[in-house]
Amino acid sequence: MSASTNMRVLFFLPNLSSYLDRARTLMEVSQGLDRLILMVGRLDAAMDTSAYHRFTLVDAGFRRGNRLYNLAKANWLGRKLVRSQAINILHDTFGTFPPLFMIKRYLRNVTCCSSFFTLNGWRLRHVWSDVPTIRLLMHPSTAMMYYGLWLEHLTCRYADHVIVQAPGLVARLKEYVSQPRARVDVLANSVDTDFWRPPPEHAPNKDVDDTPVRILFIGTIDRSRGALVLIEVLHLLKLRGIPATLTMVGAWERLTRGPAMDLIRQYGVGDQVLFAGQLPRSELLDNFHRHDLFLYQTNNDASPRVVLEALATGLPIIASHHPGIDVIDPKGESIAFTEYGDAERIVDLVDTFSSNRREWSERARIGRQIAVERFSCKAIARQYLAFYRSIATSQ
């Protein structure tokens, strides 16, 4: 990618270790810009940037748990960089730069953008609406949705562009935020297909295998991401005589753990479920390689990148229809779709997998191809560059 004049971007991410794929995408984007500065709240991982001469990594030095200090530090440093580096595109994530957006009239020729990776207002209306507000506020992880909702409204008021990851998410945002359509843009999630890849010896399984189907879930373990549905699926598989195990990787959502454990005891499937906790990136890759099926149900996420990771590693996928997942494979060439929470349909699909693994291996091969061609860091970098160029030409 050749550099284009008059595009100097300051991009913010909360840390590096959780967003390595996005950081690698931004490195690719930088090759088409005059400069891209990535400010991270915490520089908690190593990344070789030596081959990307227009890319700069800046550590904001956030303090854990000190939200007000971090907000002030990011905006002070952001303003300093905007002025010293002649930044003309300020790209925020997770509601960190609204204070800068509010004074943008004092920042010469700066376009303010913000990417929403969660839609807190939609969650509160459609996911957690049956939970009393007082109960939500008792749990910090869920109470933060109200803070996130306030930031979403503030950002939408002052930003020039708001970005979501799939066309179907635009309507969800506009349902609770008054925002002109012309200012809402779509930039898809990316996946590092050089890291997330199939195991070296990735051969199709035989048509029928009497070993248990090893099912994998990765994500926050809560009811809105199908935790109770997955346990129901395991129970139904047991009733049908289809041997299966379930590995759940991720942290618990506090309101879900009790009901999930009750359901496991009720169905007597405790010996078939493994809760692996949160794992580092390398162990996540190993889990993709050691399982047969990736199962993901959600009515919560904006655009779950973990589905892209499963796709890139060549793992067959069963997932619920959701705007952020449908956009990955709109024709269903690789992903086997269900309606959210349809345990019977999921069990039917697991049954077809267990009796015809070669066909599912072909679907997984197509999935890997989709990930490389449409969602790799280089592919999504082209989307970002087109977006930034559209901004530059209108400044």
Short mmCIF file of all heavy atoms in Angstrom, two decimals, residues 217-239:
data_model
loop_
_atom_site.label_atom_id
_atom_site.label_comp_id
_atom_site.label_asym_id
_atom_site.label_seq_id
_atom_site.Cartn_x
_atom_site.Cartn_y
_atom_site.Cartn_z
N PHE A 217 -16.69 -23.86 23.47
CA PHE A 217 -17.23 -22.50 23.56
C PHE A 217 -16.16 -21.61 24.16
O PHE A 217 -15.51 -21.98 25.15
CB PHE A 217 -18.48 -22.45 24.44
CG PHE A 217 -18.89 -21.03 24.81
CD1 PHE A 217 -19.70 -20.30 23.95
CD2 PHE A 217 -18.43 -20.44 25.98
CE1 PHE A 217 -20.05 -18.99 24.27
CE2 PHE A 217 -18.79 -19.13 26.30
CZ PHE A 217 -19.59 -18.41 25.45
N ILE A 218 -15.97 -20.41 23.59
CA ILE A 218 -15.04 -19.42 24.14
C ILE A 218 -15.78 -18.10 24.22
O ILE A 218 -16.37 -17.63 23.24
CB ILE A 218 -13.78 -19.27 23.27
CG1 ILE A 218 -12.99 -20.60 23.24
CG2 ILE A 218 -12.89 -18.15 23.79
CD1 ILE A 218 -11.78 -20.56 22.32
N GLY A 219 -15.75 -17.47 25.38
CA GLY A 219 -16.40 -16.18 25.57
C GLY A 219 -16.84 -16.04 27.01
O GLY A 219 -16.64 -16.94 27.83
N THR A 220 -17.45 -14.90 27.33
CA THR A 220 -18.01 -14.75 28.67
C THR A 220 -19.13 -15.76 28.86
O THR A 220 -20.01 -15.90 28.02
CB THR A 220 -18.57 -13.32 28.85
OG1 THR A 220 -17.52 -12.37 28.61
CG2 THR A 220 -19.10 -13.13 30.26
N ILE A 221 -19.08 -16.48 29.97
CA ILE A 221 -20.06 -17.54 30.22
C ILE A 221 -21.28 -16.90 30.88
O ILE A 221 -21.33 -16.70 32.09
CB ILE A 221 -19.46 -18.65 31.10
CG1 ILE A 221 -18.17 -19.19 30.45
CG2 ILE A 221 -20.46 -19.77 31.30
CD1 ILE A 221 -17.41 -20.16 31.32
N ASP A 222 -22.24 -16.53 30.06
CA ASP A 222 -23.48 -15.97 30.59
C ASP A 222 -24.66 -16.43 29.75
O ASP A 222 -24.51 -16.99 28.68
CB ASP A 222 -23.40 -14.44 30.71
CG ASP A 222 -23.38 -13.71 29.38
OD1 ASP A 222 -24.07 -14.14 28.44
OD2 ASP A 222 -22.68 -12.69 29.28
N ARG A 223 -25.84 -16.22 30.27
CA ARG A 223 -27.05 -16.73 29.63
C ARG A 223 -27.27 -16.09 28.26
O ARG A 223 -27.79 -16.71 27.35
CB ARG A 223 -28.27 -16.49 30.50
CG ARG A 223 -28.52 -15.02 30.81
CD ARG A 223 -29.80 -14.79 31.58
NE ARG A 223 -30.05 -13.36 31.71
CZ ARG A 223 -31.24 -12.80 31.62
NH1 ARG A 223 -32.29 -13.56 31.38
NH2 ARG A 223 -31.39 -11.51 31.76
N SER A 224 -26.85 -14.81 28.10
CA SER A 224 -27.05 -14.12 26.84
C SER A 224 -26.11 -14.61 25.75
O SER A 224 -26.29 -14.30 24.58
CB SER A 224 -26.88 -12.61 27.01
OG SER A 224 -25.54 -12.29 27.34
N ARG A 225 -25.11 -15.36 26.13
CA ARG A 225 -24.23 -16.02 25.16
C ARG A 225 -24.43 -17.53 25.18
O ARG A 225 -23.54 -18.29 24.84
CB ARG A 225 -22.78 -15.64 25.42
CG ARG A 225 -22.49 -14.16 25.13
CD ARG A 225 -21.03 -13.83 25.30
NE ARG A 225 -20.75 -12.44 24.94
CZ ARG A 225 -20.80 -11.41 25.79
NH1 ARG A 225 -21.12 -11.63 27.06
NH2 ARG A 225 -20.53 -10.19 25.40
N GLY A 226 -25.60 -17.92 25.60
CA GLY A 226 -26.02 -19.30 25.43
C GLY A 226 -25.49 -20.30 26.42
O GLY A 226 -25.54 -21.51 26.16
N ALA A 227 -25.01 -19.86 27.59
CA ALA A 227 -24.45 -20.81 28.56
C ALA A 227 -25.47 -21.88 28.95
O ALA A 227 -25.16 -23.08 28.97
CB ALA A 227 -23.95 -20.07 29.80
N LEU A 228 -26.69 -21.47 29.25
CA LEU A 228 -27.72 -22.44 29.65
C LEU A 228 -28.17 -23.28 28.46
O LEU A 228 -28.49 -24.46 28.61
CB LEU A 228 -28.91 -21.71 30.27
CG LEU A 228 -28.59 -20.79 31.47
CD1 LEU A 228 -29.87 -20.21 32.04
CD2 LEU A 228 -27.82 -21.55 32.54
N VAL A 229 -28.16 -22.68 27.28
CA VAL A 229 -28.51 -23.42 26.06
C VAL A 229 -27.52 -24.56 25.82
O VAL A 229 -27.90 -25.68 25.47
CB VAL A 229 -28.56 -22.48 24.84
CG1 VAL A 229 -28.85 -23.27 23.56
CG2 VAL A 229 -29.60 -21.40 25.04
N LEU A 230 -26.23 -24.28 26.01
CA LEU A 230 -25.20 -25.29 25.76
C LEU A 230 -25.35 -26.48 26.71
O LEU A 230 -25.13 -27.63 26.32
CB LEU A 230 -23.80 -24.68 25.89
CG LEU A 230 -23.46 -23.52 24.96
CD1 LEU A 230 -21.98 -23.17 25.08
CD2 LEU A 230 -23.79 -23.85 23.52
N ILE A 231 -25.70 -26.18 27.95
CA ILE A 231 -25.91 -27.27 28.91
C ILE A 231 -27.14 -28.09 28.51
O ILE A 231 -27.14 -29.32 28.60
CB ILE A 231 -26.05 -26.69 30.33
CG1 ILE A 231 -24.73 -26.01 30.74
CG2 ILE A 231 -26.40 -27.79 31.32
CD1 ILE A 231 -24.85 -25.15 31.98
N GLU A 232 -28.18 -27.41 28.04
CA GLU A 232 -29.36 -28.11 27.54
C GLU A 232 -29.00 -28.99 26.35
O GLU A 232 -29.48 -30.13 26.25
CB GLU A 232 -30.42 -27.08 27.13
CG GLU A 232 -31.70 -27.66 26.57
CD GLU A 232 -32.58 -28.29 27.64
OE1 GLU A 232 -32.42 -27.96 28.83
OE2 GLU A 232 -33.43 -29.12 27.27
N VAL A 233 -28.15 -28.50 25.47
CA VAL A 233 -27.71 -29.27 24.31
C VAL A 233 -27.00 -30.54 24.76
O VAL A 233 -27.23 -31.64 24.23
CB VAL A 233 -26.79 -28.43 23.41
CG1 VAL A 233 -26.03 -29.31 22.41
CG2 VAL A 233 -27.60 -27.37 22.67
N LEU A 234 -26.13 -30.40 25.74
CA LEU A 234 -25.39 -31.56 26.24
C LEU A 234 -26.36 -32.60 26.81
O LEU A 234 -26.19 -33.82 26.60
CB LEU A 234 -24.40 -31.10 27.31
CG LEU A 234 -23.16 -31.95 27.54
CD1 LEU A 234 -22.36 -32.11 26.25
CD2 LEU A 234 -22.30 -31.35 28.64
N HIS A 235 -27.38 -32.14 27.51
CA HIS A 235 -28.40 -33.04 28.07
C HIS A 235 -29.15 -33.77 26.95
O HIS A 235 -29.34 -35.00 27.01
CB HIS A 235 -29.37 -32.22 28.92
CG HIS A 235 -30.60 -32.94 29.34
ND1 HIS A 235 -30.58 -34.09 30.09
CD2 HIS A 235 -31.92 -32.67 29.10
CE1 HIS A 235 -31.81 -34.50 30.32
NE2 HIS A 235 -32.65 -33.67 29.72
N LEU A 236 -29.56 -33.05 25.92
CA LEU A 236 -30.31 -33.66 24.81
C LEU A 236 -29.44 -34.65 24.03
O LEU A 236 -29.93 -35.69 23.57
CB LEU A 236 -30.85 -32.58 23.88
CG LEU A 236 -31.93 -31.66 24.48
CD1 LEU A 236 -32.30 -30.56 23.50
CD2 LEU A 236 -33.16 -32.47 24.89
N LEU A 237 -28.18 -34.32 23.86
CA LEU A 237 -27.26 -35.26 23.20
C LEU A 237 -27.16 -36.55 24.01
O LEU A 237 -27.14 -37.66 23.44
CB LEU A 237 -25.88 -34.62 23.04
CG LEU A 237 -25.76 -33.51 22.00
CD1 LEU A 237 -24.40 -32.81 22.12
CD2 LEU A 237 -25.91 -34.07 20.58
N LYS A 238 -27.11 -36.42 25.31
CA LYS A 238 -27.02 -37.59 26.18
C LYS A 238 -28.27 -38.46 26.03
O LYS A 238 -28.19 -39.69 25.94
CB LYS A 238 -26.85 -37.14 27.64
CG LYS A 238 -26.68 -38.26 28.64
CD LYS A 238 -26.46 -37.69 30.04
CE LYS A 238 -26.28 -38.79 31.06
NZ LYS A 238 -26.06 -38.23 32.43
N LEU A 239 -29.44 -37.81 25.97
CA LEU A 239 -30.69 -38.56 25.81
C LEU A 239 -30.74 -39.30 24.48
O LEU A 239 -31.33 -40.38 24.37
CB LEU A 239 -31.89 -37.61 25.92
CG LEU A 239 -32.15 -36.98 27.29
CD1 LEU A 239 -33.36 -36.05 27.23
CD2 LEU A 239 -32.36 -38.05 28.36
#
